[in-house]
């Protein structure tokens, strides 16, 4: 067990974890400074991004439904065309 905690892999992982913590803290401070300098309260900013996210989801769902409907219509039209062509070949 002592070999594990003293190993290069484990020590490297600890260094990465510490660096990640530093970077996250630095990013948090920068974003807080931007919020303070812009004068926008944190809560309003979150609510605004949430509402735009919900609207984006709604738009994406609507687009997906429209695409599915178009695909269904195309396949129906293609089937009908293929059936007509087969009927014409038989005649």
């Amino acid at each position: 067990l002592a070999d594990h905690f003293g190993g290069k892999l484990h020590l490297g992982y600890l260094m990465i974890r510490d660096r990640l913590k530093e970077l996250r803290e630095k990013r948090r401070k920068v974003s807080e400074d931007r919020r303070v300098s812009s004068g926008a309260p944190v809560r309003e900013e979150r609510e605004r991004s949430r509402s735009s996210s919900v609207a984006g989801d709604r738009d994406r769902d609507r687009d997906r439904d429209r695409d599915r409907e178009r695909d269904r219509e195309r396949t129906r039209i293609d089937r009908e065309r293929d059936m007509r062509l087969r009927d014409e070949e038989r005649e």
Side-chain angles (χ1 to χ4, degrees):
L1 196 59
D3 289 339
H4 169 76
F5 290 113
K8 290 180 183 179
L9 189 62
H10 183 75
L11 294 176
Y13 175 74
L14 291 176
M15 289 172 57
I16 291 171
R17 191 175 62 186
D18 291 342
R19 179 69 175 145
L20 184 60
K21 186 188 285 186
E22 289 172 16
L23 291 173
R24 284 182 177 158
E25 184 66 26
K26 187 176 181 181
R27 186 176 66 184
R28 187 184 63 76
K29 286 180 183 178
V30 168
S31 66
E32 283 178 3
D33 291 344
R34 285 185 185 163
R35 284 188 200 118
V36 169
S37 65
S38 70
V42 176
R43 174 172 274 162
E44 286 179 15
E45 198 171 300
R46 270 195 224 131
E47 289 172 1
R48 191 175 30 231
S49 70
R50 248 187 237 138
S51 67
S52 67
S53 172
V54 169
D57 290 345
R58 206 175 314 128
D59 291 341
R60 192 171 31 254
D61 290 343
R62 186 178 53 238
D63 292 344
R64 187 181 311 124
D65 291 343
R66 188 179 311 128
D67 290 344
R68 285 180 183 160
E69 185 59 37
R70 283 182 188 154
D71 289 343
R72 283 189 205 114
E73 184 64 22
R74 284 187 194 127
T75 47
R76 184 184 62 77
I77 291 170
D78 289 344
R79 276 195 312 268
E80 290 172 355
R81 186 191 65 228
D82 292 345
M83 288 171 52
R84 277 195 310 271
L85 288 173
R86 274 189 244 132
D87 290 343
E88 289 174 3
E89 287 176 356
R90 290 181 187 163
E91 295 175 352

